[in-house]
Amino acid sequence: MGDTFIRHIALLGFEKRFVPSQHYVYMFLVKWQDLSEKVVYRKFTEIYEFHKMLKEMFPIEAGEIHTENRVIPHLPAPRWYDGQRAAESRQGTLTEYFNSLMGLPMKISRCPHLLNFFKVRPDDLKLPNDSQVKKPETYLTAKDGKNNVAGWWFCQMKTKRGWVPASYLEPLDSPDEAEDPDPNYAGEPYVTIKAYAAVEEDEVSLSEGEAIEVIHKLLDGWWVVRKGDITGYFPSMYLQKAGEEITQAQRQIRSRGAPPRRSTIRNAQSIHQRSRKRLSQDTYRRNSVRFLQQRRRPARPGPQSPDSKDNPSTPRAKPQPAVPPRPSSDLILHRCTESTKRKLTSAV
């Protein structure tokens, strides 16, 4: 059996707690070498004390001797008052900090100081219960498919917490779902980071490293993608935005299977079936083909004057209204009033 070490540290979000007094803790999902995953909670002041001790243990890598030798990432000191806005804005900093830390040489990334800091403590197991006066408020980090196991949501039920397939969950407050309301047939460029063989008829099989376009993102972790003229559902956890680093994303989903399809959950009373009109695969394909045909079709040239053909940059002259013919004197005298006639006669 090999040495104990941490494979990955992921920030899930933060909690606002009220016992013994109001404070904030960050939720971390720690993945160990034995494939176990543990959720731990740490205050930012604890994280900063850990950071200071790490710098003392590795003064060269901390840049204490020569600044140019520093590889340990920076971490801002705690403020005298940390409110919810500060706790929220600090999430990106902590994510970058621990990602950088895990990429350092093993003498740092696998040192006992780091391992002991993320070991499960008794307080990590004391989850809120129904008898507590004011329960903690949980704020999960908003992430997209590249940093999260899309289609799996981190949930809490009384004293239990864990990952649940999104297709098995339904909203209680309203049937409206916060997913892309309509497909975007222009598509977003993505790359497949893991191969998948279609199981359902409306899915698409793709190999690793294929360039595709995502035209509809759905909450259950299955997105509608287009490869040439072919459209179909594909696990979003196996996709990465084009042009971004894929190595870390591949490590996260290496041993994970695709989440279950929402359409395979056989529940006639499901709110998923009533919430909004679901598009069929034929509709996706037909609309996608129509969009591609319109994009490939050249624009019809409008009518041009001879001058505009020679010089396209010449602005087109604004058309002027036609001038009616001037009436004769007899016609004016015939149609005018008696008062006008008298005035004209006296003027003559």
Side-chain angles (χ1 to χ4, degrees):
M1 185 173 179
D3 296 334
T4 301
F5 64 90
I6 296 174
R7 295 185 295 115
H8 183 65
I9 302 171
L11 177 65
L12 301 177
F14 66 96
E15 276 191 355
K16 181 179 181 181
R17 295 184 175 180
F18 303 92
V19 178
S21 60
Q22 179 175 311
H23 63 284
Y24 295 88
V25 294
Y26 291 93
M27 301 184 296
F28 292 95
L29 178 66
V30 184
K31 302 180 181 181
W32 295 84
Q33 95 290 347
D34 59 357
L35 302 183
S36 63
E37 299 181 356
K38 307 294 182 181
V39 177
V40 300
Y41 303 83
R42 300 292 183 265
K43 297 179 183 179
F44 185 73
T45 51
E46 295 179 282
I47 299 173
Y48 188 72
E49 290 300 321
F50 157 82
H51 171 68
K52 291 198 301 181
M53 180 62 69
L54 190 68
K55 290 170 60 180
E56 293 179 5
M57 294 174 60
F58 301 96
I60 297 178
E61 291 78 3
E64 299 294 340
I65 301 176
H66 298 290
T67 308
E68 62 273 12
N69 293 333
R70 176 162 190 166
V71 293
I72 294 179
H74 293 271
L75 188 68
R79 304 174 184 175
W80 69 275
Y81 172 76
D82 284 337
Q84 181 172 327
R85 182 175 298 180
E88 184 175 2
S89 63
R90 197 181 282 133
Q91 292 180 105
T93 302
L94 290 175
T95 298
E96 294 179 2
Y97 176 79
F98 285 109
N99 284 344
S100 300
L101 212 57
M102 295 304 296
L104 295 181
M106 288 191 294
K107 68 175 184 179
I108 301 178
S109 61
R110 299 187 182 185
C111 69
H113 179 56
L114 176 65
L115 303 182
N116 292 333
F117 182 74
F118 281 106
K119 282 184 178 178
V120 178
R121 305 171 181 171
D123 290 343
D124 297 324
L125 304 177
K126 292 181 181 179
L127 298 178
N129 52 49
D130 294 335
S131 62
Q132 190 167 314
V133 178
K134 197 168 184 180
K135 296 182 179 180
E137 299 175 3
T138 304
Y139 302 87
L140 295 180
T141 304
K143 296 183 178 180
D144 54 19
K146 65 170 185 162
N147 290 325
N148 196 12
V149 184
W152 295 82
W153 295 359
F154 190 77
C155 304
Q156 174 179 332
M157 185 184 70
K158 294 185 178 180
T159 60
K160 297 181 179 179
R161 294 184 177 184
W163 295 95
V164 178
S167 53
Y168 286 90
L169 301 175
E170 298 178 349
L172 291 177
D173 299 334
S174 162
D176 297 331
E177 299 183 5
E179 63 186 17
D180 289 357
D182 298 305
N184 174 21
Y185 291 104
E188 295 182 46
Y190 275 77
V191 177
T192 58
I193 59 176
K194 186 176 180 179
Y196 175 77
V199 177
E200 302 290 332
E201 293 182 358
D202 56 357
E203 297 174 0
V204 59
S205 299
L206 294 172
S207 303
E208 180 181 330
E210 293 199 51
I212 55 93
E213 294 175 313
V214 173
I215 62 178
H216 202 180
K217 299 178 180 179
L218 303 174
L219 281 177
D220 62 353
W222 289 83
W223 293 355
V224 182
V225 304
R226 178 174 60 214
K227 174 69 174 178
D229 292 336
I230 301 174
T231 62
Y233 288 93
F234 193 82
S236 61
M237 62 190 297
Y238 296 165
L239 296 173
Q240 179 84 343
K241 273 197 172 182
E244 295 186 355
E245 176 61 34
I246 66 173
T247 305
Q248 181 178 348
Q250 285 178 322
R251 285 200 300 264
Q252 293 182 11
I253 53 91
R254 182 175 300 160
S255 59
R256 290 186 179 273
R261 288 282 303 281
R262 180 162 46 189
S263 60
T264 62
I265 308 302
R266 309 300 181 187
N267 180 6
Q269 305 299 323
S270 173
I271 201 169
H272 289 313
Q273 307 300 327
R274 308 192 308 269
S275 61
R276 57 191 292 271
K277 184 179 179 181
R278 294 289 167 189
L279 297 179
S280 67
Q281 182 58 23
D282 288 338
T283 304
Y284 281 121
R285 181 188 57 79
R286 186 169 55 252
N287 292 343
S288 179
V289 171
R290 184 182 297 116
F291 174 84
L292 292 176
Q293 290 174 347
Q294 292 175 351
R295 187 167 65 180
R296 295 166 184 166
R297 187 181 304 155
R300 294 181 179 179
Q304 295 181 347
S305 62
D307 294 339
S308 61
K309 290 182 179 179
D310 298 336
N311 188 5
S313 62
T314 304
R316 185 175 298 176
K318 186 177 180 180
Q320 299 296 327
V323 180
R326 182 181 178 87
S328 62
S329 301
D330 293 338
L331 183 60
I332 293 175
L333 289 173
H334 177 72
R335 294 185 177 179
C336 66
T337 62
E338 292 298 328
S339 175
T340 303
K341 287 181 182 180
R342 288 195 297 269
K343 290 180 180 180
L344 290 173
T345 306
S346 62
V348 174

